[in-house]
Amino acid sequence: AQKVTQAQTEISVVEKEDVTLDCVYETRDTTYYLFWYKQPPSGELVFLIRRNSFDEQNEISGRYSWNFQKSTSSFNFTITASQVVDSAVYFCAPVRVHGSSNTGKLIFGQGTTLQVKP
Amino acid sequence: DVKVTQSSRYLVKRTGEKVFLECVQDMDHENMFWYRQDPGLGLRLIYFSYDVKMKEKGDIPEGYSVSREKKERFSLILESASTNQTSMYLCASLGGNEKLFFGSGTQLSVL
């Protein structure tokens, strides 16, 4: 079974601060993907990143970066120089790679609500 | 761009009513999903479908059924709505690389 823990329910920062969103997952699968999704106030979840379980290289995309540590089962997300438009709910989610019946069955964490104040 | 459209943004229904939530995707995706989102609980999978007329239960299927008569349309049905089904319902379809595309959601209130 898979389980995702996003321990931070709400985070509030002031614009231009850096902020890290934590994600810890539990899985018995050896091969899986990890995702981050953003849900702005409009409601539609937006894909941010997908990582393979066997690729532990950190990734940077503009102001976003992700730190994947398989040994600690963590997949943390950092926003550098946060902006008001970053205000949203952020979800971490793993999914099994193999097995057609599991394809796309993401197990979402509870989400972290990020508020960036001007 | 992939588009997943949910027919209603807000719905208000009475207890005991039969409720249909519609979802349409325009990218010929095979897999489609229904989630519900509640504060403090994140997104929970209700049902999913991996082909026309095929469906599988998710984690919380009780009180719900689904219909997939055409590839582009996946309907969630509340046979007899109850107040504990008041929630945000999100539909998604699966594109390449296991990437989910979501609709904007339907906020259902059952009175």
Side-chain angles (χ1 to χ4, degrees), chain A residues 33 35 37 39 42-45 47 50 91 101 103-106 108-110, chain B residues 9 31 33 35 37 40 42-43 45 48 56 90 94 97-100 102 104:
Chain A
Y33 293 127
F35 292 81
Y37 280 83
Q39 185 180 36
S42 61
E44 183 175 328
L45 274 82
F47 167 87
R50 186 200 78 166
F91 291 95
S101 64
T103 299
K105 275 184 66 176
L106 273 67
F108 286 89
Q110 295 178 347
Chain B
R9 187 73 175 93
N31 292 24
F33 305 80
Y35 287 88
Q37 181 178 9
L43 277 72
L45 181 64
F48 67 103
E56 280 199 25
L90 293 162
L94 184 69
N97 293 325
E98 304 288 329
K99 182 177 171 181
L100 281 176
F102 284 86
S104 297

PDB file of all heavy atoms in Angstrom, chain A residues 33 35 37 39 42-45 47 50 91 101 103-106 108-110, chain B residues 9 31 33 35 37 40 42-43 45 48 56 90 94 97-100 102 104:
ATOM      1  N   TYR A  33       6.551   6.335  -9.866  1.00  0.00           N
ATOM      2  CA  TYR A  33       6.713   7.742 -10.198  1.00  0.00           C
ATOM      3  C   TYR A  33       6.258   8.578  -9.011  1.00  0.00           C
ATOM      4  O   TYR A  33       5.412   8.162  -8.225  1.00  0.00           O
ATOM      5  CB  TYR A  33       5.846   8.135 -11.395  1.00  0.00           C
ATOM      6  CG  TYR A  33       6.249   7.506 -12.710  1.00  0.00           C
ATOM      7  CD1 TYR A  33       5.311   6.821 -13.479  1.00  0.00           C
ATOM      8  CD2 TYR A  33       7.538   7.628 -13.209  1.00  0.00           C
ATOM      9  CE1 TYR A  33       5.646   6.276 -14.698  1.00  0.00           C
ATOM     10  CE2 TYR A  33       7.888   7.072 -14.431  1.00  0.00           C
ATOM     11  CZ  TYR A  33       6.942   6.398 -15.166  1.00  0.00           C
ATOM     12  OH  TYR A  33       7.289   5.844 -16.367  1.00  0.00           O
ATOM     13  N   PHE A  35       4.886  12.583  -8.245  1.00  0.00           N
ATOM     14  CA  PHE A  35       4.357  13.776  -8.891  1.00  0.00           C
ATOM     15  C   PHE A  35       4.152  14.905  -7.881  1.00  0.00           C
ATOM     16  O   PHE A  35       3.926  14.660  -6.695  1.00  0.00           O
ATOM     17  CB  PHE A  35       2.972  13.493  -9.514  1.00  0.00           C
ATOM     18  CG  PHE A  35       2.989  12.557 -10.680  1.00  0.00           C
ATOM     19  CD1 PHE A  35       3.036  11.190 -10.493  1.00  0.00           C
ATOM     20  CD2 PHE A  35       2.938  13.056 -11.973  1.00  0.00           C
ATOM     21  CE1 PHE A  35       3.038  10.322 -11.574  1.00  0.00           C
ATOM     22  CE2 PHE A  35       2.930  12.196 -13.057  1.00  0.00           C
ATOM     23  CZ  PHE A  35       2.986  10.833 -12.854  1.00  0.00           C
ATOM     24  N   TYR A  37       1.543  18.326  -7.968  1.00  0.00           N
ATOM     25  CA  TYR A  37       0.501  19.076  -8.656  1.00  0.00           C
ATOM     26  C   TYR A  37       0.194  20.340  -7.880  1.00  0.00           C
ATOM     27  O   TYR A  37       0.275  20.371  -6.658  1.00  0.00           O
ATOM     28  CB  TYR A  37      -0.796  18.252  -8.779  1.00  0.00           C
ATOM     29  CG  TYR A  37      -0.783  17.247  -9.903  1.00  0.00           C
ATOM     30  CD1 TYR A  37      -0.188  16.000  -9.735  1.00  0.00           C
ATOM     31  CD2 TYR A  37      -1.365  17.536 -11.131  1.00  0.00           C
ATOM     32  CE1 TYR A  37      -0.177  15.084 -10.766  1.00  0.00           C
ATOM     33  CE2 TYR A  37      -1.361  16.620 -12.162  1.00  0.00           C
ATOM     34  CZ  TYR A  37      -0.760  15.396 -11.970  1.00  0.00           C
ATOM     35  OH  TYR A  37      -0.754  14.481 -12.996  1.00  0.00           O
ATOM     36  N   GLN A  39      -2.785  23.327  -7.245  1.00  0.00           N
ATOM     37  CA  GLN A  39      -4.195  23.640  -7.397  1.00  0.00           C
ATOM     38  C   GLN A  39      -4.408  25.102  -7.018  1.00  0.00           C
ATOM     39  O   GLN A  39      -4.532  25.455  -5.849  1.00  0.00           O
ATOM     40  CB  GLN A  39      -5.077  22.740  -6.527  1.00  0.00           C
ATOM     41  CG  GLN A  39      -6.565  22.954  -6.760  1.00  0.00           C
ATOM     42  CD  GLN A  39      -7.410  22.057  -5.884  1.00  0.00           C
ATOM     43  OE1 GLN A  39      -7.067  21.778  -4.732  1.00  0.00           O
ATOM     44  NE2 GLN A  39      -8.533  21.593  -6.416  1.00  0.00           N
ATOM     45  N   SER A  42      -8.580  28.687  -8.786  1.00  0.00           N
ATOM     46  CA  SER A  42      -9.540  28.339  -9.836  1.00  0.00           C
ATOM     47  C   SER A  42      -9.996  26.883  -9.728  1.00  0.00           C
ATOM     48  O   SER A  42     -11.045  26.517 -10.274  1.00  0.00           O
ATOM     49  CB  SER A  42      -8.921  28.569 -11.213  1.00  0.00           C
ATOM     50  OG  SER A  42      -7.782  27.742 -11.380  1.00  0.00           O
ATOM     51  N   GLY A  43      -9.224  26.047  -9.042  1.00  0.00           N
ATOM     52  CA  GLY A  43      -9.670  24.685  -8.767  1.00  0.00           C
ATOM     53  C   GLY A  43      -9.034  23.600  -9.612  1.00  0.00           C
ATOM     54  O   GLY A  43      -9.015  22.441  -9.211  1.00  0.00           O
ATOM     55  N   GLU A  44      -8.531  23.922 -10.771  1.00  0.00           N
ATOM     56  CA  GLU A  44      -8.002  22.891 -11.664  1.00  0.00           C
ATOM     57  C   GLU A  44      -6.572  22.526 -11.285  1.00  0.00           C
ATOM     58  O   GLU A  44      -5.695  23.370 -11.257  1.00  0.00           O
ATOM     59  CB  GLU A  44      -8.036  23.428 -13.096  1.00  0.00           C
ATOM     60  CG  GLU A  44      -7.597  22.462 -14.152  1.00  0.00           C
ATOM     61  CD  GLU A  44      -7.774  23.033 -15.538  1.00  0.00           C
ATOM     62  OE1 GLU A  44      -8.722  23.819 -15.753  1.00  0.00           O
ATOM     63  OE2 GLU A  44      -6.961  22.701 -16.428  1.00  0.00           O
ATOM     64  N   LEU A  45      -6.333  21.265 -11.017  1.00  0.00           N
ATOM     65  CA  LEU A  45      -4.985  20.823 -10.669  1.00  0.00           C
ATOM     66  C   LEU A  45      -4.086  20.875 -11.897  1.00  0.00           C
ATOM     67  O   LEU A  45      -4.465  20.434 -12.994  1.00  0.00           O
ATOM     68  CB  LEU A  45      -4.990  19.400 -10.126  1.00  0.00           C
ATOM     69  CG  LEU A  45      -5.250  19.264  -8.623  1.00  0.00           C
ATOM     70  CD1 LEU A  45      -6.735  19.328  -8.355  1.00  0.00           C
ATOM     71  CD2 LEU A  45      -4.650  17.981  -8.085  1.00  0.00           C
ATOM     72  N   PHE A  47      -0.283  19.929 -13.449  1.00  0.00           N
ATOM     73  CA  PHE A  47       0.912  19.109 -13.316  1.00  0.00           C
ATOM     74  C   PHE A  47       2.155  19.997 -13.202  1.00  0.00           C
ATOM     75  O   PHE A  47       2.325  20.945 -13.959  1.00  0.00           O
ATOM     76  CB  PHE A  47       1.008  18.210 -14.546  1.00  0.00           C
ATOM     77  CG  PHE A  47       2.317  17.517 -14.742  1.00  0.00           C
ATOM     78  CD1 PHE A  47       2.560  16.300 -14.130  1.00  0.00           C
ATOM     79  CD2 PHE A  47       3.308  18.063 -15.547  1.00  0.00           C
ATOM     80  CE1 PHE A  47       3.766  15.639 -14.327  1.00  0.00           C
ATOM     81  CE2 PHE A  47       4.504  17.414 -15.746  1.00  0.00           C
ATOM     82  CZ  PHE A  47       4.730  16.200 -15.135  1.00  0.00           C
ATOM     83  N   ARG A  50       7.154  15.183 -12.737  1.00  0.00           N
ATOM     84  CA  ARG A  50       7.141  13.747 -12.512  1.00  0.00           C
ATOM     85  C   ARG A  50       8.577  13.268 -12.398  1.00  0.00           C
ATOM     86  O   ARG A  50       9.429  13.655 -13.186  1.00  0.00           O
ATOM     87  CB  ARG A  50       6.483  13.023 -13.689  1.00  0.00           C
ATOM     88  CG  ARG A  50       6.311  11.538 -13.458  1.00  0.00           C
ATOM     89  CD  ARG A  50       6.124  10.791 -14.744  1.00  0.00           C
ATOM     90  NE  ARG A  50       7.396  10.605 -15.458  1.00  0.00           N
ATOM     91  CZ  ARG A  50       7.569   9.772 -16.457  1.00  0.00           C
ATOM     92  NH1 ARG A  50       6.559   9.070 -16.891  1.00  0.00           N
ATOM     93  NH2 ARG A  50       8.736   9.665 -17.057  1.00  0.00           N
ATOM     94  N   PHE A  91      -0.004  19.407  -4.045  1.00  0.00           N
ATOM     95  CA  PHE A  91      -0.172  17.995  -3.725  1.00  0.00           C
ATOM     96  C   PHE A  91       1.006  17.187  -4.230  1.00  0.00           C
ATOM     97  O   PHE A  91       1.471  17.369  -5.351  1.00  0.00           O
ATOM     98  CB  PHE A  91      -1.437  17.431  -4.380  1.00  0.00           C
ATOM     99  CG  PHE A  91      -2.716  17.962  -3.813  1.00  0.00           C
ATOM    100  CD1 PHE A  91      -3.356  19.038  -4.413  1.00  0.00           C
ATOM    101  CD2 PHE A  91      -3.278  17.392  -2.684  1.00  0.00           C
ATOM    102  CE1 PHE A  91      -4.541  19.529  -3.897  1.00  0.00           C
ATOM    103  CE2 PHE A  91      -4.465  17.878  -2.166  1.00  0.00           C
ATOM    104  CZ  PHE A  91      -5.091  18.960  -2.772  1.00  0.00           C
ATOM    105  N   SER A 101      -3.885  -1.889 -14.244  1.00  0.00           N
ATOM    106  CA  SER A 101      -4.998  -1.468 -13.391  1.00  0.00           C
ATOM    107  C   SER A 101      -4.591  -0.377 -12.428  1.00  0.00           C
ATOM    108  O   SER A 101      -5.424   0.249 -11.807  1.00  0.00           O
ATOM    109  CB  SER A 101      -5.557  -2.661 -12.617  1.00  0.00           C
ATOM    110  OG  SER A 101      -4.573  -3.162 -11.743  1.00  0.00           O
ATOM    111  N   THR A 103      -2.432   2.051 -13.425  1.00  0.00           N
ATOM    112  CA  THR A 103      -1.951   3.188 -14.200  1.00  0.00           C
ATOM    113  C   THR A 103      -2.773   4.428 -13.913  1.00  0.00           C
ATOM    114  O   THR A 103      -3.988   4.432 -14.077  1.00  0.00           O
ATOM    115  CB  THR A 103      -2.014   2.857 -15.697  1.00  0.00           C
ATOM    116  OG1 THR A 103      -1.178   1.741 -15.946  1.00  0.00           O
ATOM    117  CG2 THR A 103      -1.527   4.026 -16.517  1.00  0.00           C
ATOM    118  N   GLY A 104      -2.096   5.465 -13.501  1.00  0.00           N
ATOM    119  CA  GLY A 104      -2.762   6.724 -13.225  1.00  0.00           C
ATOM    120  C   GLY A 104      -3.399   6.800 -11.864  1.00  0.00           C
ATOM    121  O   GLY A 104      -3.911   7.848 -11.480  1.00  0.00           O
ATOM    122  N   LYS A 105      -3.364   5.745 -11.089  1.00  0.00           N
ATOM    123  CA  LYS A 105      -3.996   5.761  -9.769  1.00  0.00           C
ATOM    124  C   LYS A 105      -3.082   6.459  -8.778  1.00  0.00           C
ATOM    125  O   LYS A 105      -2.446   5.827  -7.954  1.00  0.00           O
ATOM    126  CB  LYS A 105      -4.303   4.345  -9.303  1.00  0.00           C
ATOM    127  CG  LYS A 105      -5.610   3.793  -9.806  1.00  0.00           C
ATOM    128  CD  LYS A 105      -5.879   2.421  -9.225  1.00  0.00           C
ATOM    129  CE  LYS A 105      -6.099   2.473  -7.725  1.00  0.00           C
ATOM    130  NZ  LYS A 105      -6.446   1.158  -7.177  1.00  0.00           N
ATOM    131  N   LEU A 106      -3.033   7.744  -8.892  1.00  0.00           N
ATOM    132  CA  LEU A 106      -2.206   8.488  -7.961  1.00  0.00           C
ATOM    133  C   LEU A 106      -2.815   8.476  -6.573  1.00  0.00           C
ATOM    134  O   LEU A 106      -4.024   8.589  -6.421  1.00  0.00           O
ATOM    135  CB  LEU A 106      -2.070   9.938  -8.440  1.00  0.00           C
ATOM    136  CG  LEU A 106      -0.935  10.230  -9.424  1.00  0.00           C
ATOM    137  CD1 LEU A 106      -1.179   9.559 -10.753  1.00  0.00           C
ATOM    138  CD2 LEU A 106      -0.747  11.721  -9.601  1.00  0.00           C
ATOM    139  N   PHE A 108      -2.865  10.681  -3.501  1.00  0.00           N
ATOM    140  CA  PHE A 108      -2.532  12.053  -3.161  1.00  0.00           C
ATOM    141  C   PHE A 108      -2.348  12.237  -1.665  1.00  0.00           C
ATOM    142  O   PHE A 108      -3.018  11.614  -0.854  1.00  0.00           O
ATOM    143  CB  PHE A 108      -3.633  13.002  -3.645  1.00  0.00           C
ATOM    144  CG  PHE A 108      -3.630  13.213  -5.124  1.00  0.00           C
ATOM    145  CD1 PHE A 108      -4.341  12.373  -5.954  1.00  0.00           C
ATOM    146  CD2 PHE A 108      -2.896  14.240  -5.688  1.00  0.00           C
ATOM    147  CE1 PHE A 108      -4.342  12.569  -7.327  1.00  0.00           C
ATOM    148  CE2 PHE A 108      -2.888  14.438  -7.062  1.00  0.00           C
ATOM    149  CZ  PHE A 108      -3.608  13.599  -7.879  1.00  0.00           C
ATOM    150  N   GLY A 109      -1.415  13.126  -1.337  1.00  0.00           N
ATOM    151  CA  GLY A 109      -1.308  13.568   0.037  1.00  0.00           C
ATOM    152  C   GLY A 109      -2.442  14.516   0.362  1.00  0.00           C
ATOM    153  O   GLY A 109      -3.282  14.817  -0.485  1.00  0.00           O
ATOM    154  N   GLN A 110      -2.450  15.005   1.600  1.00  0.00           N
ATOM    155  CA  GLN A 110      -3.529  15.886   2.033  1.00  0.00           C
ATOM    156  C   GLN A 110      -3.391  17.274   1.439  1.00  0.00           C
ATOM    157  O   GLN A 110      -4.337  18.055   1.441  1.00  0.00           O
ATOM    158  CB  GLN A 110      -3.556  15.978   3.549  1.00  0.00           C
ATOM    159  CG  GLN A 110      -3.897  14.663   4.220  1.00  0.00           C
ATOM    160  CD  GLN A 110      -3.875  14.783   5.729  1.00  0.00           C
ATOM    161  OE1 GLN A 110      -3.398  15.752   6.273  1.00  0.00           O
ATOM    162  NE2 GLN A 110      -4.388  13.779   6.401  1.00  0.00           N
TER     163      GLN A 110
ATOM    164  N   ARG B   9     -19.975  23.783 -12.538  1.00  0.00           N
ATOM    165  CA  ARG B   9     -19.006  24.244 -11.551  1.00  0.00           C
ATOM    166  C   ARG B   9     -19.598  24.144 -10.146  1.00  0.00           C
ATOM    167  O   ARG B   9     -18.887  23.815  -9.205  1.00  0.00           O
ATOM    168  CB  ARG B   9     -18.627  25.692 -11.843  1.00  0.00           C
ATOM    169  CG  ARG B   9     -17.499  26.218 -10.970  1.00  0.00           C
ATOM    170  CD  ARG B   9     -16.164  25.627 -11.385  1.00  0.00           C
ATOM    171  NE  ARG B   9     -15.057  26.196 -10.634  1.00  0.00           N
ATOM    172  CZ  ARG B   9     -14.556  25.669  -9.521  1.00  0.00           C
ATOM    173  NH1 ARG B   9     -15.060  24.569  -9.024  1.00  0.00           N
ATOM    174  NH2 ARG B   9     -13.545  26.244  -8.908  1.00  0.00           N
ATOM    175  N   ASN B  31      -7.792   6.233 -20.138  1.00  0.00           N
ATOM    176  CA  ASN B  31      -8.048   6.174 -18.701  1.00  0.00           C
ATOM    177  C   ASN B  31      -8.653   7.480 -18.193  1.00  0.00           C
ATOM    178  O   ASN B  31      -8.124   8.563 -18.442  1.00  0.00           O
ATOM    179  CB  ASN B  31      -6.751   5.912 -17.934  1.00  0.00           C
ATOM    180  CG  ASN B  31      -6.197   4.524 -18.189  1.00  0.00           C
ATOM    181  OD1 ASN B  31      -6.487   3.917 -19.211  1.00  0.00           O
ATOM    182  ND2 ASN B  31      -5.408   4.033 -17.268  1.00  0.00           N
ATOM    183  N   PHE B  33     -10.749   9.240 -14.545  1.00  0.00           N
ATOM    184  CA  PHE B  33     -10.827   9.078 -13.095  1.00  0.00           C
ATOM    185  C   PHE B  33     -11.825  10.065 -12.498  1.00  0.00           C
ATOM    186  O   PHE B  33     -11.980  11.184 -12.989  1.00  0.00           O
ATOM    187  CB  PHE B  33      -9.466   9.346 -12.455  1.00  0.00           C
ATOM    188  CG  PHE B  33      -8.357   8.503 -13.022  1.00  0.00           C
ATOM    189  CD1 PHE B  33      -7.748   8.849 -14.223  1.00  0.00           C
ATOM    190  CD2 PHE B  33      -7.928   7.371 -12.366  1.00  0.00           C
ATOM    191  CE1 PHE B  33      -6.738   8.078 -14.765  1.00  0.00           C
ATOM    192  CE2 PHE B  33      -6.920   6.588 -12.886  1.00  0.00           C
ATOM    193  CZ  PHE B  33      -6.327   6.937 -14.079  1.00  0.00           C
ATOM    194  N   TYR B  35     -12.285  11.772  -8.685  1.00  0.00           N
ATOM    195  CA  TYR B  35     -11.802  11.974  -7.325  1.00  0.00           C
ATOM    196  C   TYR B  35     -12.788  12.887  -6.593  1.00  0.00           C
ATOM    197  O   TYR B  35     -13.480  13.705  -7.199  1.00  0.00           O
ATOM    198  CB  TYR B  35     -10.447  12.682  -7.317  1.00  0.00           C
ATOM    199  CG  TYR B  35      -9.268  11.853  -7.759  1.00  0.00           C
ATOM    200  CD1 TYR B  35      -8.911  11.770  -9.103  1.00  0.00           C
ATOM    201  CD2 TYR B  35      -8.481  11.177  -6.825  1.00  0.00           C
ATOM    202  CE1 TYR B  35      -7.806  11.025  -9.505  1.00  0.00           C
ATOM    203  CE2 TYR B  35      -7.373  10.441  -7.218  1.00  0.00           C
ATOM    204  CZ  TYR B  35      -7.043  10.373  -8.554  1.00  0.00           C
ATOM    205  OH  TYR B  35      -5.957   9.636  -8.946  1.00  0.00           O
ATOM    206  N   GLN B  37     -12.571  15.714  -3.318  1.00  0.00           N
ATOM    207  CA  GLN B  37     -11.615  16.454  -2.517  1.00  0.00           C
ATOM    208  C   GLN B  37     -12.317  17.064  -1.322  1.00  0.00           C
ATOM    209  O   GLN B  37     -13.287  17.799  -1.474  1.00  0.00           O
ATOM    210  CB  GLN B  37     -10.969  17.568  -3.350  1.00  0.00           C
ATOM    211  CG  GLN B  37      -9.932  18.369  -2.597  1.00  0.00           C
ATOM    212  CD  GLN B  37      -9.275  19.424  -3.464  1.00  0.00           C
ATOM    213  OE1 GLN B  37      -9.696  19.680  -4.577  1.00  0.00           O
ATOM    214  NE2 GLN B  37      -8.227  20.041  -2.949  1.00  0.00           N
ATOM    215  N   GLY B  40      -8.598  18.606   4.494  1.00  0.00           N
ATOM    216  CA  GLY B  40      -7.868  17.742   5.392  1.00  0.00           C
ATOM    217  C   GLY B  40      -7.704  16.306   4.929  1.00  0.00           C
ATOM    218  O   GLY B  40      -6.975  15.527   5.547  1.00  0.00           O
ATOM    219  N   GLY B  42      -7.390  15.576   1.353  1.00  0.00           N
ATOM    220  CA  GLY B  42      -6.777  15.554   0.026  1.00  0.00           C
ATOM    221  C   GLY B  42      -7.742  15.022  -1.019  1.00  0.00           C
ATOM    222  O   GLY B  42      -8.963  15.147  -0.886  1.00  0.00           O
ATOM    223  N   LEU B  43      -7.204  14.409  -2.043  1.00  0.00           N
ATOM    224  CA  LEU B  43      -8.011  13.809  -3.103  1.00  0.00           C
ATOM    225  C   LEU B  43      -8.099  12.314  -2.878  1.00  0.00           C
ATOM    226  O   LEU B  43      -7.098  11.654  -2.633  1.00  0.00           O
ATOM    227  CB  LEU B  43      -7.374  14.060  -4.472  1.00  0.00           C
ATOM    228  CG  LEU B  43      -7.650  15.386  -5.153  1.00  0.00           C
ATOM    229  CD1 LEU B  43      -6.921  16.525  -4.458  1.00  0.00           C
ATOM    230  CD2 LEU B  43      -7.272  15.321  -6.618  1.00  0.00           C
ATOM    231  N   LEU B  45      -9.699   8.690  -4.554  1.00  0.00           N
ATOM    232  CA  LEU B  45     -10.179   8.118  -5.805  1.00  0.00           C
ATOM    233  C   LEU B  45     -11.490   7.374  -5.590  1.00  0.00           C
ATOM    234  O   LEU B  45     -11.572   6.480  -4.737  1.00  0.00           O
ATOM    235  CB  LEU B  45      -9.125   7.179  -6.383  1.00  0.00           C
ATOM    236  CG  LEU B  45      -9.457   6.514  -7.705  1.00  0.00           C
ATOM    237  CD1 LEU B  45      -9.597   7.549  -8.814  1.00  0.00           C
ATOM    238  CD2 LEU B  45      -8.373   5.498  -8.072  1.00  0.00           C
ATOM    239  N   PHE B  48     -12.417   4.606 -11.443  1.00  0.00           N
ATOM    240  CA  PHE B  48     -11.722   4.936 -12.669  1.00  0.00           C
ATOM    241  C   PHE B  48     -12.117   3.974 -13.769  1.00  0.00           C
ATOM    242  O   PHE B  48     -12.682   2.901 -13.505  1.00  0.00           O
ATOM    243  CB  PHE B  48     -10.213   5.002 -12.463  1.00  0.00           C
ATOM    244  CG  PHE B  48      -9.542   3.703 -12.151  1.00  0.00           C
ATOM    245  CD1 PHE B  48      -8.821   3.027 -13.119  1.00  0.00           C
ATOM    246  CD2 PHE B  48      -9.585   3.174 -10.869  1.00  0.00           C
ATOM    247  CE1 PHE B  48      -8.183   1.845 -12.825  1.00  0.00           C
ATOM    248  CE2 PHE B  48      -8.946   1.992 -10.562  1.00  0.00           C
ATOM    249  CZ  PHE B  48      -8.238   1.321 -11.542  1.00  0.00           C
ATOM    250  N   GLU B  56     -13.353   0.390 -12.663  1.00  0.00           N
ATOM    251  CA  GLU B  56     -12.831  -0.247 -11.462  1.00  0.00           C
ATOM    252  C   GLU B  56     -13.076   0.668 -10.278  1.00  0.00           C
ATOM    253  O   GLU B  56     -13.019   1.901 -10.406  1.00  0.00           O
ATOM    254  CB  GLU B  56     -11.327  -0.515 -11.586  1.00  0.00           C
ATOM    255  CG  GLU B  56     -10.992  -1.740 -12.390  1.00  0.00           C
ATOM    256  CD  GLU B  56      -9.584  -2.242 -12.131  1.00  0.00           C
ATOM    257  OE1 GLU B  56      -9.043  -1.976 -11.038  1.00  0.00           O
ATOM    258  OE2 GLU B  56      -9.030  -2.890 -13.030  1.00  0.00           O
ATOM    259  N   LEU B  90     -13.627  16.017  -8.725  1.00  0.00           N
ATOM    260  CA  LEU B  90     -12.664  16.301  -9.776  1.00  0.00           C
ATOM    261  C   LEU B  90     -12.556  15.122 -10.722  1.00  0.00           C
ATOM    262  O   LEU B  90     -12.378  13.983 -10.293  1.00  0.00           O
ATOM    263  CB  LEU B  90     -11.290  16.592  -9.169  1.00  0.00           C
ATOM    264  CG  LEU B  90     -11.198  17.882  -8.357  1.00  0.00           C
ATOM    265  CD1 LEU B  90      -9.976  17.866  -7.464  1.00  0.00           C
ATOM    266  CD2 LEU B  90     -11.141  19.084  -9.280  1.00  0.00           C
ATOM    267  N   LEU B  94      -5.924  10.500 -18.262  1.00  0.00           N
ATOM    268  CA  LEU B  94      -4.509  10.181 -18.211  1.00  0.00           C
ATOM    269  C   LEU B  94      -3.863  10.306 -19.571  1.00  0.00           C
ATOM    270  O   LEU B  94      -4.221   9.603 -20.517  1.00  0.00           O
ATOM    271  CB  LEU B  94      -4.336   8.754 -17.687  1.00  0.00           C
ATOM    272  CG  LEU B  94      -2.892   8.301 -17.489  1.00  0.00           C
ATOM    273  CD1 LEU B  94      -2.267   9.054 -16.331  1.00  0.00           C
ATOM    274  CD2 LEU B  94      -2.844   6.799 -17.220  1.00  0.00           C
ATOM    275  N   ASN B  97       3.135   9.549 -20.212  1.00  0.00           N
ATOM    276  CA  ASN B  97       4.022   9.676 -19.047  1.00  0.00           C
ATOM    277  C   ASN B  97       3.264   9.735 -17.728  1.00  0.00           C
ATOM    278  O   ASN B  97       3.714  10.383 -16.777  1.00  0.00           O
ATOM    279  CB  ASN B  97       4.914  10.913 -19.175  1.00  0.00           C
ATOM    280  CG  ASN B  97       5.902  10.778 -20.317  1.00  0.00           C
ATOM    281  OD1 ASN B  97       6.392   9.676 -20.587  1.00  0.00           O
ATOM    282  ND2 ASN B  97       6.161  11.855 -21.000  1.00  0.00           N
ATOM    283  N   GLU B  98       2.137   9.076 -17.681  1.00  0.00           N
ATOM    284  CA  GLU B  98       1.357   9.000 -16.442  1.00  0.00           C
ATOM    285  C   GLU B  98       0.882  10.359 -15.953  1.00  0.00           C
ATOM    286  O   GLU B  98       0.585  10.544 -14.777  1.00  0.00           O
ATOM    287  CB  GLU B  98       2.183   8.330 -15.326  1.00  0.00           C
ATOM    288  CG  GLU B  98       2.707   6.958 -15.650  1.00  0.00           C
ATOM    289  CD  GLU B  98       1.611   5.911 -15.660  1.00  0.00           C
ATOM    290  OE1 GLU B  98       0.641   6.060 -14.914  1.00  0.00           O
ATOM    291  OE2 GLU B  98       1.719   4.947 -16.429  1.00  0.00           O
ATOM    292  N   LYS B  99       0.789  11.309 -16.828  1.00  0.00           N
ATOM    293  CA  LYS B  99       0.407  12.660 -16.439  1.00  0.00           C
ATOM    294  C   LYS B  99      -1.114  12.793 -16.457  1.00  0.00           C
ATOM    295  O   LYS B  99      -1.751  12.529 -17.477  1.00  0.00           O
ATOM    296  CB  LYS B  99       1.034  13.645 -17.406  1.00  0.00           C
ATOM    297  CG  LYS B  99       0.773  15.103 -17.113  1.00  0.00           C
ATOM    298  CD  LYS B  99       1.528  15.947 -18.131  1.00  0.00           C
ATOM    299  CE  LYS B  99       1.148  17.399 -18.052  1.00  0.00           C
ATOM    300  NZ  LYS B  99       1.867  18.200 -19.052  1.00  0.00           N
ATOM    301  N   LEU B 100      -1.685  13.220 -15.339  1.00  0.00           N
ATOM    302  CA  LEU B 100      -3.124  13.420 -15.241  1.00  0.00           C
ATOM    303  C   LEU B 100      -3.499  14.841 -15.639  1.00  0.00           C
ATOM    304  O   LEU B 100      -2.832  15.793 -15.252  1.00  0.00           O
ATOM    305  CB  LEU B 100      -3.607  13.173 -13.816  1.00  0.00           C
ATOM    306  CG  LEU B 100      -3.792  11.728 -13.354  1.00  0.00           C
ATOM    307  CD1 LEU B 100      -4.183  11.702 -11.888  1.00  0.00           C
ATOM    308  CD2 LEU B 100      -4.846  11.015 -14.191  1.00  0.00           C
ATOM    309  N   PHE B 102      -6.662  17.444 -15.291  1.00  0.00           N
ATOM    310  CA  PHE B 102      -7.851  17.599 -14.458  1.00  0.00           C
ATOM    311  C   PHE B 102      -8.825  18.622 -15.030  1.00  0.00           C
ATOM    312  O   PHE B 102      -8.424  19.606 -15.669  1.00  0.00           O
ATOM    313  CB  PHE B 102      -7.452  18.061 -13.050  1.00  0.00           C
ATOM    314  CG  PHE B 102      -6.878  16.977 -12.191  1.00  0.00           C
ATOM    315  CD1 PHE B 102      -5.526  16.681 -12.238  1.00  0.00           C
ATOM    316  CD2 PHE B 102      -7.695  16.256 -11.334  1.00  0.00           C
ATOM    317  CE1 PHE B 102      -4.989  15.677 -11.446  1.00  0.00           C
ATOM    318  CE2 PHE B 102      -7.172  15.257 -10.530  1.00  0.00           C
ATOM    319  CZ  PHE B 102      -5.816  14.968 -10.587  1.00  0.00           C
ATOM    320  N   SER B 104     -11.930  21.431 -13.909  1.00  0.00           N
ATOM    321  CA  SER B 104     -11.954  22.507 -12.908  1.00  0.00           C
ATOM    322  C   SER B 104     -12.732  22.127 -11.659  1.00  0.00           C
ATOM    323  O   SER B 104     -12.698  22.868 -10.675  1.00  0.00           O
ATOM    324  CB  SER B 104     -12.554  23.771 -13.503  1.00  0.00           C
ATOM    325  OG  SER B 104     -11.759  24.241 -14.565  1.00  0.00           O
TER     326      SER B 104
END
